[in-house]
Amino acid sequence: HDVYISNHRPPSTMWIMSKSFHHLNHVITVFERSGFQIIRQASHKFDVIWSYDYPFNSGWRSYIMKMKAPQKINHFPGSGYITNKMSLSTSKIKYLPKAYRIPEDVAALKSYASDNPDTMYVMKSNDHRGIKIKKLSDMDLSEKGRLNFVQEFVSKPLLINNRKFDIGIYVVITSINPLRVYVYDEEVLLRFCAVDYQPLDVTNVEKYVIGDRYTPTREIPSLKNSIVDRQYSMKQTLSVYLKSKGFDPDKLWSQIRSSIREVTLAKEKDLKAAMATYPDPAIFFEMVRFDFVVDDELNLWLMEVNMSPNLASSVHPENAIMYEQVIFNTLALVGAVHYTGGSLTKLTQEERAMLVRSSDVIVPVDECHKEMCSHCSSEICALCQQCMSDQQLGILQQAFSEHVHRRNFARVFPVPENSKHELGAKQDGLSTSNKVMQMWYRAKCSHSPAWCV
């Protein structure tokens, strides 16, 4: 049941790994519209693998081990460090409600519950099923229990027309070492619970758990005028509503960007370790969806990060165009959809130079003319032509390509120069490769404002 997709001169192939394909209709459609054709035969001659499931523990690993840039696959080894519910929720990261592993953290959980008697908790597992508010006394916290972890419930969510909602943010990680992270900036996914939140009845999970058949934004009375009559996006609609209630929407979007940075930086070392056995790190990218809720004071809480987020519009056809835009923008960002036609792996040297040439990434850095860089003895010397390795040149060429082809994506890490206020002066603990990447963007920004965002 594997699907392969091909282009012209010579054909470019995209291989979809999935047990079924109906939920990937929009993925296939975007590739077809981009000039690709579907083929149905396994081959080592492909340009892109799009896998719905995590592909590194399967028989396909041998194919992945032989991949070389510009081939691409839409997952990173170890991406579960971000998308696994327990791994994420029990991390000591800002914006995450307190969570406790079961049974390892039972004592700490009981101590916290004793100090906060009014706090409610949600029992969760990694299979994303059975989420329900319960008293601790009604939970099996023993080793024999089937819980993975217990998490504090955000009991005072911001409500719109008495409905709890979450905010889905599409994020693409294009590189781990150095780390580069982008957020889809034009739109968000708003999902509302199917039932009014108040009065809260914890036995009715539809009041506080957002399922597949959620209420769409256009059916929320306070938002209908913006999204239906004025044709605003969901992001614009939420911003207009928040302003009307005295909130600052810019604060929310800033918190979201900060949260995405914190999560990816916190998991960076684990992802590097997971990639260590793969010969070419440039083949990987990952598109995920961060799901947030906000409380009644507009404080942000990260609920989960979804690997292979739902891109099927059978239940909510109003999302079809948004899904296809997210997919197309992702493929453009990572260079899978380009402007020369034909196979990515068969581009000539002249075609590659037309897309990105060496002089596009060389930046005039004062230190390059000083004694220390005549011996390449400082970190910043990695940006100097006389010290730059072929690997570093390839990293910068990919970063250049991402910037000029990012379309509706905005970079959140390295932090753009015009967004430094979101981190202040906090740059401690960055790896050498991240420092060099940040310096390169800063140098590009100093010569062109287009690189400051």
Side-chain angles (χ1 to χ4, degrees):
H1 297 293
D2 300 319
V3 175
Y4 307 82
I5 299 178
S6 176
N7 197 318
H8 311 286
R9 194 193 57 88
S12 176
T13 59
M14 193 278 280
W15 175 7
I16 294 183
M17 293 180 179
S18 180
K19 295 178 181 178
S20 62
F21 305 112
H22 68 277
H23 56 291
L24 295 175
N25 285 342
H26 291 303
V27 174
I28 294 172
T29 294
V30 170
F31 272 95
E32 288 178 332
R33 288 175 180 166
S34 300
F36 289 75
Q37 296 176 337
I38 300 175
I39 62 174
R40 297 181 179 273
Q41 183 178 354
S43 170
H44 286 284
K45 297 179 179 180
F46 55 81
D47 293 274
V48 181
I49 292 178
W50 189 285
S51 176
Y52 182 76
D53 299 309
Y54 187 76
F56 303 102
N57 297 329
S58 68
W60 304 118
R61 190 174 188 273
S62 61
Y63 288 86
I64 300 169
M65 290 295 291
K66 296 177 181 178
M67 290 176 65
K68 294 181 180 180
Q71 290 178 309
K72 291 289 184 181
I73 181 169
N74 69 319
H75 294 295
F76 278 99
S79 57
Y81 287 111
I82 293 176
T83 60
N84 177 277
K85 276 196 170 190
M86 184 164 68
S87 175
L88 175 66
S89 298
T90 56
S91 304
K92 305 302 181 183
I93 300 174
K94 188 180 177 183
Y95 305 109
L96 287 170
K98 288 183 179 295
Y100 301 86
R101 296 174 184 263
I102 305 300
E104 296 89 340
D105 300 331
V106 168
L109 170 60
K110 290 182 176 179
S111 176
Y112 181 79
S114 177
D115 295 337
N116 300 272
D118 296 329
T119 299
M120 294 188 289
Y121 301 90
V122 180
M123 61 178 192
K124 293 186 175 181
S125 61
N126 280 325
D127 63 6
H128 295 226
R129 302 299 179 195
I131 298 174
K132 195 172 185 179
I133 296 174
K134 280 192 174 183
K135 296 179 181 178
L136 288 187
S137 58
D138 294 332
M139 297 183 187
D140 185 353
L141 303 179
S142 69
E143 291 187 15
K144 296 180 181 179
R146 302 187 66 179
L147 294 181
N148 292 112
F149 63 102
V150 172
Q151 189 171 44
E152 184 175 354
F153 178 67
V154 180
S155 59
K156 296 182 179 180
L158 179 66
L159 305 177
I160 301 180
N161 296 124
N162 202 22
R163 295 292 179 95
K164 181 183 175 182
F165 65 96
D166 68 5
I167 307 168
I169 305 293
Y170 294 97
V171 174
V172 174
I173 305 170
T174 60
S175 173
I176 299 299
N177 187 23
L179 185 65
R180 293 194 302 275
V181 185
Y182 298 81
V183 61
Y184 192 70
D185 203 37
E186 287 299 308
E187 184 60 293
V188 302
L189 177 63
L190 295 183
R191 305 183 304 171
F192 290 80
C193 282
V195 177
D196 286 354
Y197 183 77
Q198 294 174 337
L200 181 60
D201 175 6
V202 299
T203 65
N204 186 354
V205 295
E206 290 190 328
K207 283 178 170 286
Y208 57 89
V209 176
I210 299 168
D212 292 337
R213 296 190 178 277
Y214 58 85
T215 300
T217 307
R218 69 177 189 274
E219 294 181 14
I220 303 301
S222 293
L223 306 181
K224 185 176 181 180
N225 177 259
S226 289
I227 199 159
V228 175
D229 299 335
R230 298 182 182 274
Q231 294 290 294
Y232 290 167
S233 67
M234 284 183 273
K235 183 177 181 180
Q236 291 169 329
T237 296
L238 182 59
S239 291
V240 168
Y241 177 83
L242 292 175
K243 282 184 179 181
S244 74
K245 298 299 179 181
F247 292 112
D248 179 6
D250 291 338
K251 173 189 173 184
L252 172 63
W253 307 127
S254 178
Q255 286 185 97
I256 285 174
R257 290 189 292 269
S258 294
S259 172
I260 293 166
R261 276 192 289 267
E262 288 209 24
V263 169
T264 50
L265 281 168
K267 302 298 184 177
E268 179 186 17
K269 289 184 179 179
D270 293 324
L271 288 165
K272 283 182 183 178
M275 290 173 55
T277 60
Y278 291 86
D280 191 349
I283 66 174
F284 304 109
F285 71 96
E286 187 98 26
M287 189 265 280
V288 296
R289 194 186 71 222
F290 280 60
D291 288 343
F292 299 93
V293 300
V294 290
D295 64 24
D296 57 5
E297 295 181 351
L298 209 65
N299 296 308
L300 185 75
W301 300 100
L302 174 60
M303 295 292 100
E304 62 182 347
V305 179
N306 293 279
M307 183 188 82
S308 296
N310 178 32
L311 296 171
S313 62
S314 55
V315 178
H316 294 283
E318 69 276 4
N319 292 337
I321 294 176
M322 179 189 68
Y323 290 153
E324 291 176 0
Q325 284 190 320
V326 170
I327 297 164
F328 179 72
N329 278 262
T330 297
L331 297 178
L333 173 68
V334 303
V337 174
H338 55 102
Y339 303 101
T340 58
S343 171
L344 296 171
T345 59
K346 300 297 182 180
L347 293 181
T348 65
Q349 186 175 355
E350 291 78 11
E351 287 173 323
R352 294 185 189 282
M354 181 181 73
L355 295 173
V356 186
R357 59 177 181 167
S358 298
S359 59
D360 287 331
V361 303
I362 301 297
V363 290
V365 178
D366 291 341
E367 284 79 0
C368 291
H369 305 287
K370 296 180 181 179
E371 180 67 19
M372 63 179 183
C373 284
S374 65
H375 303 289
C376 304
S377 57
S378 175
E379 292 175 349
I380 198 171
C381 300
L383 298 179
C384 305
Q385 189 276 333
Q386 68 269 25
C387 302
M388 188 177 295
S389 66
D390 289 342
Q391 181 183 28
Q392 183 64 46
L393 177 62
I395 289 170
L396 297 182
Q397 287 177 325
Q398 182 60 41
F400 182 93
S401 176
E402 289 167 9
H403 179 83
V404 298
H405 297 139
R406 62 184 179 170
R407 296 176 58 86
N408 292 336
F409 277 97
R411 176 166 44 90
V412 295
F413 192 86
V415 185
E417 289 299 303
N418 71 345
S419 300
K420 283 297 185 65
H421 62 280
E422 294 180 359
L423 279 185
K426 183 182 177 182
Q427 295 289 311
D428 299 335
L430 291 184
S431 67
T432 297
S433 61
N434 284 341
K435 289 179 181 178
V436 171
M437 193 81 257
Q438 186 79 68
M439 287 188 291
W440 182 77
Y441 280 114
R442 188 177 300 128
K444 295 291 287 184
C445 170
S446 68
H447 291 276
S448 172
W451 284 86
C452 302
V453 296

